[in-house]
Amino acid sequence: MRYLLLPLLLVTSLVRAELPETDWLELMPEEDRLALEAMPEISHDGPELDGTFYNPDGLRQQARDLPAVMYSTKTVATFDNQPIRLGGYPVPLETDARGHSTLFFLVPYPGACIHVPPPPPNQLVLVRYPKGIELEDIYAPLWVSGTLHIEAVSNDLADAAYALDAAQVRLVDEADL
């Protein structure tokens, strides 16, 4: 009897297995990572400190006096059409009839939608998730798994260098930490 349960346990654990985490910096070419590391500290003092929480320019880079790496759309070719799991924070764009987010940007740090400056385009990922997820708090981190594409995305809110067709989106929970 014990031998019959072993294959079932293996299948169950494989079903629950997730892809290894992709680090945000892996989405940047090495030259961009080095430039980012060499960049002086940028102040994130912005709308959240004065209580307005409103940025009419969205996530777009507006201050053209920042280092070039902050505008970079350079990507890493080996990620194109690859399955990944990426952790980050949502910036909702579209919802379905139930109010669940089906299209959102994933960003590497909380509050990127209100901080100045925002992440560079190669650190923004457009997530398409037709199943939708209820987002009660944009400061709650998510795990997003699916197929990553090198795809230039530009809308009124932001420019992104990647898009991800999500198979699974879930909140990060205590067991992940």
Side-chain angles (χ1 to χ4, degrees):
M1 184 70 153
R2 209 185 305 161
Y3 295 108
L4 295 174
L5 290 177
L6 185 58
L8 181 60
L9 289 173
L10 288 174
V11 169
T12 302
S13 62
L14 287 175
V15 168
R16 290 188 185 158
E18 292 183 291
L19 293 166
E21 178 183 1
T22 298
D23 187 281
W24 279 94
L25 293 178
E26 293 177 62
L27 300 177
M28 299 179 102
E30 183 178 6
E31 64 204 47
D32 279 7
R33 283 195 311 268
L34 294 173
L36 195 64
E37 289 171 7
M39 196 171 73
E41 185 77 24
I42 292 179
S43 172
H44 287 279
D45 294 344
E48 73 280 9
L49 293 181
D50 65 18
T52 63
F53 293 98
Y54 177 71
N55 180 359
D57 298 321
L59 294 172
R60 289 184 184 275
Q61 291 291 4
Q62 298 299 319
R64 294 293 172 191
D65 58 343
L66 294 171
V69 69
M70 294 303 294
Y71 310 98
S72 182
T73 59
K74 296 175 187 169
T75 57
V76 178
T78 55
F79 278 108
D80 196 25
N81 296 311
Q82 293 300 307
I84 70 162
R85 181 172 67 112
L86 191 61
Y89 298 84
V91 178
L93 299 172
E94 292 181 12
T95 57
D96 61 17
R98 302 172 300 158
H100 293 184
S101 290
T102 56
L103 187 70
F104 56 91
F105 282 116
L106 193 68
V107 295
Y109 53 84
C113 56
I114 58 175
H115 277 72
V116 178
N122 63 9
Q123 293 289 280
L124 287 167
V125 175
L126 179 74
V127 176
R128 297 181 192 102
Y129 190 52
K131 288 172 56 176
I133 182 170
E134 185 176 2
L135 297 176
E136 294 179 9
D137 181 2
I138 63 169
Y139 291 96
L142 300 176
W143 283 118
V144 180
S145 300
T147 303
L148 188 69
H149 305 283
I150 294 175
E151 181 180 329
V153 176
S154 185
N155 68 23
D156 291 341
L157 185 62
D159 296 326
Y162 294 100
L164 194 149
D165 293 324
Q168 180 185 23
V169 178
R170 69 174 180 84
L171 289 170
V172 173
D173 61 33
E174 291 283 327
D176 296 322
L177 305 176

